[in-house]
Amino acid sequence: MSVSFLCALLPNAALADNVFTDLEKPVAHPLGQYEELTDSKPHDTDAAWTKLRPATHASWASIDIRYRRNDIPRVKAQDVWSGKAWRGERVNGQALLWTNKALADVEVTATELRSGKNVIPASAVRTNFVRYVMTDELNKDGGGCGYRNAADFDSSVVADVLDINKSLPIARNTTQPIWMNIWVPQDAKPGTYTGQITIKGKDMKAQTLQVSLQVLNRTLPEPQKWSMNLDLWQNPYAVARYYDVPLWSKEHFDAMRPIMKMLADAGQYAITTSIMYKPWNGQTEDHYDSMVTRIKHIDGSWSYDYAVFDKYVDFMMNDVGINRLISCYTMIPWNLSFDYYDEATSRVQFIKAKPGDEAYAEYWGNFLKDFSRHLRQKGWFDKTCIAMDERPMDAMRAAIKVIKDADPEFKISLAGVYHEEIERDLYYYCLAYGYKFPKDVLARRRAEGKISTYYTCCTEGFPNTFTFSAPAEATWMALHAVGGDYDGYLRWSYNSWTRDPLRDSRFRTWAAGDCYCVYPGPRSSIRFERLIEGLQDTEKIIQLRREYKRKGQKAKLE
Amino acid sequence: MSVSFLCALLPNAALADNVFTDLEKPVAHPLGQYEELTDSKPHDTDAAWTKLRPATHASWASIDIRYRRNDIPRVKAQDVWSGKAWRGERVNGQALLWTNKALADVEVTATELRSGKNVIPASAVRTNFVRYVMTDELNKDGGGCGYRNAADFDSSVVADVLDINKSLPIARNTTQPIWMNIWVPQDAKPGTYTGQITIKGKDMKAQTLQVSLQVLNRTLPEPQKWSMNLDLWQNPYAVARYYDVPLWSKEHFDAMRPIMKMLADAGQYAITTSIMYKPWNGQTEDHYDSMVTRIKHIDGSWSYDYAVFDKYVDFMMNDVGINRLISCYTMIPWNLSFDYYDEATSRVQFIKAKPGDEAYAEYWGNFLKDFSRHLRQKGWFDKTCIAMDERPMDAMRAAIKVIKDADPEFKISLAGVYHEEIERDLYYYCLAYGYKFPKDVLARRRAEGKISTYYTCCTEGFPNTFTFSAPAEATWMALHAVGGDYDGYLRWSYNSWTRDPLRDSRFRTWAAGDCYCVYPGPRSSIRFERLIEGLQDTEKIIQLRREYKRKGQKAKLE
């Protein structure tokens, strides 16, 4: 209050303007057509582009490269894309269109794919213009963590967004990538299917590129039956803000539905719920808030209401189809400050207390007893994990005690480094990249039905899924889970969008793209499609291993 | 947010220090012994004081004068205080002790008062040291309203606080007033009672002053049976802050009990309740908050909880004994912003809406329907007034419509100027000083059992009850109610204490003392005792008029 008052008296209006301009300018939140930001990097000259004959080219290209927007692509012209897939698998291709003249109303269409009398319908062949988003780079130390001042980092636009706009103008002297994804129907007959995609527009000759897909006689299960425990944290608050809809309104759920279904289709296990205010101290553009109403009455008693929690969980389970785990964040947040509505003061108040304090045990103990009762009544208790963040051992032990005192059957999760002392208490234990479970512990955990995974975050410069990371790194994330003998992979961010996520993936902390891997619309990304590729590969490995084991094909197993 | 951020970066620490020093210094909140502030006004010299023989004097003096602390009082020495009282009446006297040497452990004791074999016990004779509090002065325009910068106003200490400390050190060269109040028992026998008060201390000869009280053969009813509608608004939030106790805790009620009983003993009618956040836009040091819990659920429905309201009203009615009216502030606050706990965002949110808006009607209509149900269930409905503040006529009419739509039997109150258009809708109508009810309207209102009073506030430079106002002005306030043919008197402030109310009655707005007339402890004041005197006088006039009317003593009536 006194601070604002002081500031209101500041005579230096120019200073104030400078500081506020960026922050307070209203940010449009496009869902349809939008313009990309300008790239300030050097690129192929107008002279080089002018030499291009004919003016417009198209070719298949690599899915491992983020082609630069203002350079002539160095690709060997390739008319035919060839690939193999299991039934039920999604496969990716990337085509490029590059031109030295402005084109209007450019569109891409796909034909059905035919193998004799068998057909994969055109609707299974998705094509998206790949759009460019502003990114930055790693820290000088090679990591991606910490506060960053935009001026200290080199910025450029990179190809990542898979746009949902069906028609685009293409500027002269640019390369426009086109992403193709074929989702082979579960019941497709094996065989080699062919078809084509066609790029049309005003002022250009239609360009046709061939597709040849060999469907193998193997079937990938539906994503929600995959074995790998994928855990990308959802942020419903970012959706409400970007779509400018009231939290938990019908409009909010309508906006979330396709975004969350995309995640379900990647095999997501867990519903991310927040059971307190700012479980991660509001580190994202849109902080998480409590999905639980806690009221402290003037007689000292507490009451709880789960209307938001129930509605969100029910939506995710029964509408979206993510129904294997409910993660509740968090018992030991980074800032030990716990919210409740205080009847006495008619305000939201905060208890500052640490695990081991009586006030901590009262706040959480009371809640968890009621929460257990509620979860059991809903039939959700066995799927629910009370999550902790990494803290000193005595704090984690004190928190575990409070949970177990409230209900000894509560499942508990932790993402952090390996701690032998509490490993047995953790139903879902996710280790930081580089940490391993001892072999015997892992075997026991699997026998007990526990989940043992790994995570990456800003710490790793490589591999990672920043917007400037090489696309294949996303695939590697999933493969490392099977390679490193984990049950799955966690990343903290599915859609914690920045202020203007479609155009600018940079954030006040961490390397660009750390906060999200899908875009409003919803729009998928090169990163997300390549992660799904990796998840499919791990599932294929798991399926094959099972089969070889079942059939005793030892040689193949090794 | 961005403002704080800017400020955090301000390099000018010295500036920040200057600005914050005054505001952020912790303020001690004395309840027992404390030191008064220094007076910077010129006063009698050390030389003048040194001539005083003997060193220490005592005498009765006038209750109409605030004697100056550092001046030798110009009083004719007077050993005997004489007064008259009805049975049940309280009468005031003021004695002075002045000295040119420091005295320690000074105490005042009173004997019982005797009239032959009849006795008024010593406990009925209350004596208090009068303490000095910092005050300021009127605006240059003669009023007391508006924001004030302390440096623009002359300050001085004035005698007002009736201290509860039984023993005080007296500095050399000072005058120490002593207030005497005798509360004549309801069953005292008529006659002239005599006794004395004695002032003792280290380093002084005990001084004895005589008391002679004639008790008349008339009886004043108990305060809660007085006819005049006294309405001084209580501020429970200020008590919680000053006493540093949790709102609505046992400690809070324990602290409020004697403060509110003092008000009950002045004949207070109404319990001041707040049914929204900041009914007066937080104009006091401690803003009023909502005593009602309002929750907006994600399905759009509302629920209400009255735990605080009920506990406070029940306390005031049944513990304190103020039980004739429940005033609920307010339907049209100065800032049209209405609070509720929002289940969706887990936050207290505000609806901005004005009377006539659909959102206003929804917010208030829903609430008032439920409130009516609740009040009827508690048996309080007939005593409850929904209060409005003065607003443009169409706003007041729109608010009245919302109230009547919710329950046509709701009582409504307004403090403002006279409006013929809505007068009939107002059960309790309090006019600004200077406004009159037309005679026929007043007669009709009385026949209908409605309340028609007047109020003063900062507007009036004189008469008023600022800490620098002459004591008799407080008495006049009550007498004007009967003189101006009103049913009572309202002032907005009983105990909206300043930051350091015992020592400094100045506030950021309004002339000093505007916000309160009793002090923490609780301690009464010269102003409050003289107001009670006036209230007693009005009650005596009313009693006598009734008697003369009953007995047809026309001459006496005029």
Side-chain angles (χ1 to χ4, degrees), chain A residues 87 110-125 182-195 213 215:
Chain A
R87 288 179 299 227
T111 63
E112 59 186 17
L113 307 182
R114 293 195 148 269
S115 173
K117 64 176 200 309
N118 297 323
V119 173
I120 293 173
S123 61
V125 185
I182 306 171
W183 193 335
V184 179
Q186 213 85 12
D187 59 358
K189 296 275 181 303
T192 298
Y193 290 76
T194 57
L213 175 69
V215 176

Side-chain angles (χ1 to χ4, degrees), chain B residues 108-113 121-127 180 195-198 211:
Chain B
V108 183
T109 53
T111 63
E112 61 185 17
L113 307 182
S123 62
V125 184
R126 203 187 68 208
T127 58
M180 177 184 70
Q196 58 202 34
I197 67 166
T198 302
V211 174

Side-chain angles (χ1 to χ4, degrees), chain B residues 250-266:
Chain B
K250 181 179 180 302
E251 296 75 16
H252 186 206
F253 285 101
D254 288 345
M256 284 198 288
R257 191 172 293 104
I259 301 168
M260 300 309 176
K261 278 195 187 284
M262 253 171 44
L263 182 60
D265 286 346

Side-chain angles (χ1 to χ4, degrees), chain A residues 7 24 248 277 290 344 346-347, chain B residues 2 7 248 277 290 344 346-347:
Chain A
C7 280
E24 309 218 332
W248 317 119
Y277 175 66
S290 181
S346 299
R347 286 289 154 278
Chain B
S2 38
C7 280
W248 318 117
Y277 175 66
S290 181
S346 299
R347 287 290 155 276

Side-chain angles (χ1 to χ4, degrees), chain A residues 307-557:
Chain A
V308 171
F309 179 87
D310 289 355
K311 195 167 179 184
Y312 182 59
V313 170
D314 183 63
F315 163 79
M316 291 294 276
M317 283 194 168
N318 301 316
D319 197 339
V320 171
I322 295 174
N323 55 24
R324 287 178 283 182
L325 209 60
I326 305 166
S327 293
C328 302
Y329 298 91
T330 179
M331 282 278 293
I332 327 183
W334 299 344
N335 183 15
L336 292 164
S337 176
F338 304 105
D339 71 300
Y340 63 97
Y341 180 80
D342 181 41
E343 193 177 71
T345 56
S346 299
R347 286 289 154 278
V348 172
Q349 304 286 5
F350 294 86
I351 288 173
K352 305 237 171 239
K354 57 181 192 309
D357 292 353
E358 201 178 313
Y360 179 92
E362 194 215 333
Y363 179 92
W364 281 110
N366 267 322
F367 166 69
L368 288 170
K369 278 193 202 88
D370 193 74
F371 195 38
S372 155
R373 177 200 58 71
H374 177 74
L375 290 167
R376 288 176 184 277
Q377 190 184 313
K378 299 291 283 188
W380 296 342
F381 184 83
D382 290 338
K383 295 183 172 185
T384 303
C385 267
I386 306 297
M388 299 191 302
D389 275 277
E390 176 88 27
R391 282 258 154 186
M393 183 50 62
D394 57 348
M396 294 193 287
R397 282 192 154 150
I400 289 168
K401 182 174 187 317
V402 170
I403 300 171
K404 295 290 179 193
D405 283 353
D407 188 328
E409 295 180 25
F410 252 129
K411 291 188 167 78
I412 305 176
S413 71
L414 174 71
V417 301
Y418 185 69
H419 301 286
E420 193 188 0
E421 303 93 320
I422 55 170
E423 170 273 315
R424 282 172 187 264
D425 293 315
L426 302 171
Y427 168 74
Y428 173 14
Y429 196 173
C430 179
L431 294 184
Y433 179 66
Y435 287 84
K436 302 284 285 179
F437 292 94
K439 269 203 162 26
D440 57 329
V441 169
L442 194 61
R444 175 175 42 74
R445 290 183 62 81
R446 283 182 178 149
E448 290 169 355
K450 289 178 176 168
I451 304 167
S452 315
T453 70
Y454 91 103
Y455 72 86
T456 61
C457 60
C458 62
T459 311
E460 296 78 31
F462 172 90
N464 215 317
T465 49
F466 302 127
T467 34
F468 56 78
S469 299
E473 292 174 38
T475 311
W476 186 92
M477 292 299 173
L479 288 168
H480 180 63
V482 79
D485 204 10
Y486 300 101
D487 301 334
Y489 169 64
L490 177 154
R491 204 174 193 296
W492 72 272
S493 51
Y494 176 61
N495 70 316
S496 277
W497 291 326
T498 55
R499 272 177 92 81
D500 189 11
L502 262 186
R503 289 177 285 218
D504 194 348
S505 66
R506 295 172 303 173
F507 192 51
R508 61 177 177 255
T509 41
W510 319 309
D514 198 39
C515 305
Y516 58 107
C517 57
V518 298
Y519 295 82
R523 291 161 168 91
S524 184
S525 69
I526 290 182
R527 295 176 289 158
F528 191 58
E529 296 301 322
R530 295 301 306 272
L531 175 64
I532 293 171
E533 178 192 322
L535 292 163
Q536 294 182 134
D537 290 346
T538 60
E539 186 59 25
K540 282 151 81 175
I541 293 168
I542 290 165
Q543 296 287 334
L544 291 173
R545 279 184 178 167
R546 276 188 204 146
E547 185 184 315
Y548 298 155
K549 211 167 187 176
R550 204 171 55 237
K551 297 185 181 166
Q553 296 170 304
K554 261 203 158 179
K556 285 190 173 173
L557 258 177

Side-chain angles (χ1 to χ4, degrees), chain A residues 148-224:
Chain A
R148 34 181 62 201
N149 177 6
D152 298 340
F153 291 80
D154 196 16
S155 291
S156 58
V157 297
V158 286
D160 191 52
V161 185
L162 303 192
D163 201 1
I164 52 176
N165 285 303
K166 288 293 155 205
S167 167
L168 273 195
I170 311 285
R172 63 185 285 270
N173 300 355
T174 59
T175 293
Q176 176 58 61
I178 294 150
W179 196 265
M180 177 183 71
N181 180 282
I182 306 171
W183 193 335
V184 179
Q186 213 85 12
D187 59 358
K189 296 275 181 303
T192 298
Y193 290 76
T194 57
Q196 58 203 33
I197 67 164
T198 303
I199 311 164
K200 283 181 263 193
K202 273 187 195 157
D203 314 314
M204 71 173 280
K205 196 172 145 247
Q207 307 267 351
T208 299
L209 295 170
Q210 305 303 316
V211 174
S212 173
L213 175 69
Q214 186 185 352
V215 176
L216 304 177
N217 193 18
R218 289 191 172 276
T219 307
L220 196 67
E222 287 155 26
Q224 282 297 316

